[in-house]
Amino acid sequence: MEVPGAGRNRRIGPYKLLGSGRTVGGGELFAARTDEGLLVTVTVVGPEPAANPEFRDRLRAAVEAARRLSGAFLVPVVDADADAPVPWVATRFTAGLPLRHAVDRHGPLGEPALRVLADGLARALAVLHGAGTVHGEVDPDSVLLTMDGPRIGALGLLGVTASPPPSPTDDMFGLGSTVLYAASGGEQDTDALPASLREVIGGCLYREPSDRPTAEQLVDYLEHQGLPAPEGGWLPPAVTADMAAAAAVGSARAVQVPVPPRPVRAPGTGVSRRNLIISLAGGAALLGGGAAALAFSGDSAPPPEGRAGGPGTTARPTRPSGARTTSAPSPSGSSADGPEPVVLAGPDAVKAWSRTGKRAPTCLEASDKVVMVVTDKATSFLEAASGDRAFDALNARKTFGANSSHHPTAYADGVFYLFCETPGQFDLLAAFDAADGKVKWAVSLAASDPGGAKIVSNYGRQYLAASGGTVYVCGLVRDGKFSVEAPKAGYIRALSATTGKKLWQVQGTDINNVLVPPSGSRLLAASAVPAKQPGRVQMIDAARKGARGWKVPLRYPSDYFSSGWPLTSYADGNFLFAGGKGDTLSVVDAATGTEKWHQRFEARNGDRVSMGAPFSSLDGATVYVPVGSELVALATADGTPRWIATLDGASDSGGANLFKASLGLSGREAQCSADTVFATDSAKTLWAIDAATGRARWKYSDPSQPDVGFRWTVGGDRVFIASHLTMTAIAADGS
């Protein structure tokens, strides 16, 4: 191929180009040689970025930073010229094969090789991210397989050329996609991953950047599994033979050698992760960009087909809720006899106390007296009233914390529960006494799996809950047989809250997101949804060891049935869930499934409406429904609207500001105390809303919070917030 600026002798700078190049990310790669015979790999920048003076400045700075980096799995920069007519970067020549070439020609890699691949890439990225740099083009083309492990360049041109620039979380998504490609041969199916990698690589592929593990966390995760490194060569013989042939360009002799020992990592300073500027393609798209003008319908039609128990009573408020819109609303108005919308505005919160720790919390749980703070190194307990240390710290830890599809903590009846690890032990469920911080019991969840103990379980742990003397572990069964026609099976495992002993377990494709009410023995499960088939919710009777009860078909297969946090709720003996086309709140009797009432929401401007996760007040008398930029309070008894609170302004990514609880599977993004509703928005603000009036009491937004936002939980009449290394408490009434 013609290389701009190379001339007839095919030279770039002091290097003679050898053979043809290949495209990787932001440039063309060539093997090259100096006149003295030194081999290098030269990346020639394309003409478009080369024409941008700002790019040259960025490239010059990136090269200087990359020259200072070294690592066992990084290919170092040895030379560069950002001011040449055609900018170029030279890295040390490394004999190997691009991952894509190896997989396309020889098929997927096995588990030992995949673990070496994931570990090596994570260690390389940990070095880059720790130095404040981002690679930007981790993919099967840029990853090189060598005799002693994978390699990526210390400088990725896309990290320099892209605008806006990529973030460390982008690199982690690239790592996850690359390992998945190597495991599946190109099919984007995480079931192709071995069990030891499925959780962590699946985490790299989470839609929300803030939910992805850091490079250091991935390395730490693999280390603590304690699985042995492969003996001898880590690659299949056919790949090794190909590699030897490829090395001939440099007259290098390829010799299969054992994988080198893992390098000792210097203590990290943490990875700064910038939230991506993303289009809210999931829940926000269904909400018309989050700016639909919502209106309660005067729906007098019968309930959607298949609903159990008959029509019941139907709430008929007709007042438009007044959510802000960026598009012109349709002219159809509605009567003005509903509650007047309240635009949220309030003073900044007054902190009750603030404390700084040594590690950033990965998850939080609180009672009215104690806050459990979990990091990737230890579990600590703080006095809720003062922030002082309540008990001695424990070595239980959680590397990957709470996120939109995984919640590893619970509290009930004076006991904290936690999915955790300890040195030498993995996949534990532990119970801690909230009165003294002592361990009541700890059990290996893998040991209680059907089929016996395994290092990594095929039963994914997604959701932990406790109620009525029972602890419930809920998640997905990883059987490697998923397709849209045959959806995944979920499971519920019940354990004694006193001893941790397994009581019973049920599983099936009719069990997915599982709601565990704070009282009673009836659970609610949503089914997985086959393609073009209706889903359903059904009662699970815990008093009868998980026996199935009544069922309610739902015709609309939506995000409400994808895996993660349950988008259902319980209030005053009733189950609440989304029906219709995701725009209808259905309320049924928990014992019989008979519908009591339903309420449909509609947009005046024609956009489709999709509710978020409903949640209830502690006394069950009120249910709150997040819909885009609005939070609606309804009486549980009959659906009468009590108030409507609405957000104004823009989110942190430039679109309309939305309640996070309205955006699909959002975890605990809305919680209640006795008289206050707490909810976060997409501008990374926490609102405290008076439960009686819908008016804001205060708002919290820390300018120094992590780019991905903060973690928070409610205990008693306080809310507790973890931002970077700082824990903060705020009283519900703002005093």
Side-chain angles (χ1 to χ4, degrees):
M1 63 171 290
E2 290 296 324
V3 182
R8 291 184 177 181
N9 294 325
R10 289 178 52 84
R11 297 183 69 89
I12 288 289
Y15 304 103
K16 181 179 181 179
L17 305 183
L18 307 174
S20 59
R22 61 185 179 91
T23 301
V24 174
E28 296 285 333
L29 265 65
F30 296 85
R33 188 196 306 270
T34 66
D35 292 339
E36 292 77 21
L38 175 67
L39 285 172
V40 296
T41 299
V42 173
T43 302
V44 179
V45 178
E48 185 174 347
N52 185 348
E54 292 183 0
F55 162 74
R56 292 177 181 268
D57 292 338
R58 295 198 302 267
L59 177 61
R60 195 178 299 110
V63 167
E64 289 305 310
R67 287 180 187 272
R68 297 190 291 268
L69 298 178
S70 63
F73 301 98
L74 283 174
V75 180
V77 172
V78 297
D79 198 1
D81 190 346
D83 300 312
V86 178
W88 53 268
V89 177
T91 57
R92 186 179 67 193
F93 179 82
T94 303
L97 285 181
L99 174 63
R100 186 182 300 278
H101 175 102
V103 172
D104 287 355
R105 185 163 183 175
H106 303 290
L109 300 180
E111 179 174 6
L114 291 170
R115 291 179 61 83
V116 173
L117 175 66
D119 182 74
L121 294 180
R123 290 176 185 275
L125 292 178
V127 173
L128 293 176
H129 297 170
T133 63
V134 177
H135 193 275
E137 53 186 19
V138 181
D139 60 28
D141 293 304
S142 64
V143 172
L144 198 65
L145 303 183
T146 75
M147 294 298 180
D148 54 356
R151 297 290 188 274
I152 58 172
L155 186 151
L157 283 183
L158 285 184
V160 181
T161 60
S163 181
S167 70
T169 56
D170 293 326
D171 278 349
M172 297 310 295
F173 187 91
L175 184 154
S177 299
T178 299
V179 175
L180 180 57
Y181 180 90
S184 66
E187 298 294 331
Q188 295 300 303
D189 184 357
T190 55
D191 281 336
L193 294 164
S196 64
L197 291 173
R198 199 168 294 142
E199 179 180 14
V200 69
I201 298 303
C204 293
L205 300 174
Y206 283 150
R207 181 176 65 180
E208 285 294 329
S210 60
D211 292 342
R212 299 168 195 161
T214 65
E216 286 192 348
Q217 286 175 330
L218 197 159
V219 172
D220 205 39
Y221 178 94
L222 295 176
E223 282 184 346
H224 282 83
Q225 284 183 326
L227 295 178
E231 297 182 0
W234 71 288
L235 292 169
V239 176
T240 303
D242 244 10
M243 197 176 298
V249 69
S251 300
R253 187 166 62 93
V255 179
Q256 182 73 301
V257 297
V259 177
R262 290 168 174 164
V264 177
R265 288 180 294 144
T269 56
V271 178
S272 173
R273 295 188 289 166
R274 180 183 62 83
N275 198 12
L276 296 176
I277 304 300
I278 56 173
S279 61
L280 298 172
L286 298 178
L287 293 160
L294 301 174
F296 292 112
S297 72
D299 182 13
S300 59
E305 180 182 345
R307 189 168 291 151
T313 59
T314 303
R316 305 184 188 198
T318 56
R319 171 68 186 172
S321 65
R324 301 298 177 260
T325 178
T326 56
S327 59
S330 61
S332 59
S334 48
S335 63
D337 56 357
E340 184 69 24
V342 177
V343 178
L344 290 177
D348 291 334
V350 176
K351 298 177 181 180
W353 54 259
S354 187
R355 296 287 185 272
T356 301
K358 296 180 180 179
R359 310 288 297 187
T362 58
C363 43
L364 305 172
E365 192 70 53
S367 69
D368 59 341
K369 295 182 173 59
V370 178
V371 188
M372 181 176 71
V373 183
V374 185
T375 74
D376 60 352
K377 295 298 180 185
T379 295
S380 303
F381 301 92
L382 305 179
E383 296 282 357
S386 65
D388 296 335
R389 187 177 72 174
F391 319 121
D392 290 339
L394 301 173
N395 65 357
R397 63 186 208 163
K398 186 64 180 172
T399 303
F400 305 121
N403 58 46
S404 61
S405 61
H406 180 69
H407 203 84
T409 65
Y411 172 80
D413 302 323
V415 181
F416 291 109
Y417 301 94
L418 173 67
F419 294 146
C420 61
E421 310 103 37
T422 62
Q425 292 182 293
F426 197 76
D427 203 14
L428 297 176
L429 172 60
F432 309 122
D433 194 319
D436 57 16
K438 299 293 178 65
V439 179
K440 291 174 63 69
W441 49 261
V443 297
S444 167
L445 290 172
S448 61
D449 283 348
K454 296 180 180 179
I455 295 176
V456 177
S457 174
N458 283 329
Y459 286 78
R461 330 293 182 194
Q462 292 183 286
Y463 177 58
L464 180 63
S467 175
T470 303
V471 184
Y472 298 94
V473 177
C474 306
L476 291 179
V477 182
R478 299 160 173 161
D479 58 9
K481 300 178 181 178
F482 175 75
S483 70
V484 293
E485 288 77 22
K488 288 184 179 292
Y491 74 94
I492 307 170
R493 182 175 305 168
L495 302 96
S496 167
T498 304
T499 64
K501 181 180 178 181
K502 180 178 175 181
L503 301 176
W504 52 265
Q505 177 168 327
V506 292
Q507 64 186 61
T509 57
D510 58 340
I511 294 175
N512 198 2
N513 297 341
V514 179
L515 174 70
V516 178
S519 61
S521 62
R522 299 181 181 93
L523 317 181
L524 186 67
S527 67
V529 181
K532 301 179 181 180
Q533 297 295 319
R536 68 184 182 192
V537 293
Q538 70 178 332
M539 187 264 284
I540 304 294
D541 193 343
R544 299 173 56 213
K545 296 186 176 182
R548 273 72 162 178
W550 52 260
K551 301 176 179 64
V552 176
L554 296 174
R555 295 187 60 82
Y556 185 64
S558 71
D559 283 345
Y560 293 90
F561 303 97
S562 56
S563 302
W565 188 267
L567 270 80
T568 51
S569 186
Y570 175 88
D572 195 26
N574 303 295
F575 284 126
L576 304 95
F577 51 88
K581 294 184 177 180
D583 59 359
T584 302
L585 178 69
S586 294
V587 181
V588 304
D589 185 279
T592 65
T594 302
E595 184 180 82
K596 292 191 171 181
W597 54 269
H598 69 273
Q599 176 59 57
R600 187 165 65 88
F601 302 86
E602 62 183 16
R604 289 184 298 163
N605 62 357
D607 290 328
R608 198 174 91 190
V609 172
S610 185
M611 295 163 36
F615 59 101
S616 72
S617 59
L618 297 186
D619 62 7
T622 306
V623 59
Y624 306 100
V625 186
V627 191
S629 298
E630 304 201 327
L631 184 65
V632 183
L634 304 173
T636 303
D638 58 9
T640 301
R642 293 182 169 171
W643 50 257
I644 303 165
T646 182
L647 296 168
D648 207 353
S651 71
D652 66 331
S653 59
N657 194 9
L658 310 172
F659 282 104
K660 289 194 72 174
S662 72
L663 297 176
L665 303 178
S666 52
R668 290 185 180 179
E669 297 295 351
Q671 300 177 51
C672 294
S673 68
D675 60 359
T676 307
V677 180
F678 302 96
T680 53
D681 65 20
S682 56
K684 294 189 292 193
T685 300
L686 172 66
W687 294 93
I689 303 170
D690 189 308
T693 66
R695 299 186 180 278
R697 288 181 167 171
W698 50 260
K699 65 180 186 295
Y700 170 88
S701 182
D702 179 6
S704 65
Q705 68 179 280
D707 288 335
V708 295
F710 50 79
R711 300 183 185 278
W712 63 284
T713 192
V714 174
D717 59 358
R718 299 179 182 88
V719 61
F720 305 96
I721 303 166
S723 179
H724 282 307
L725 304 180
T726 302
M727 279 291 303
T728 297
I730 304 171
D733 61 7
S735 61

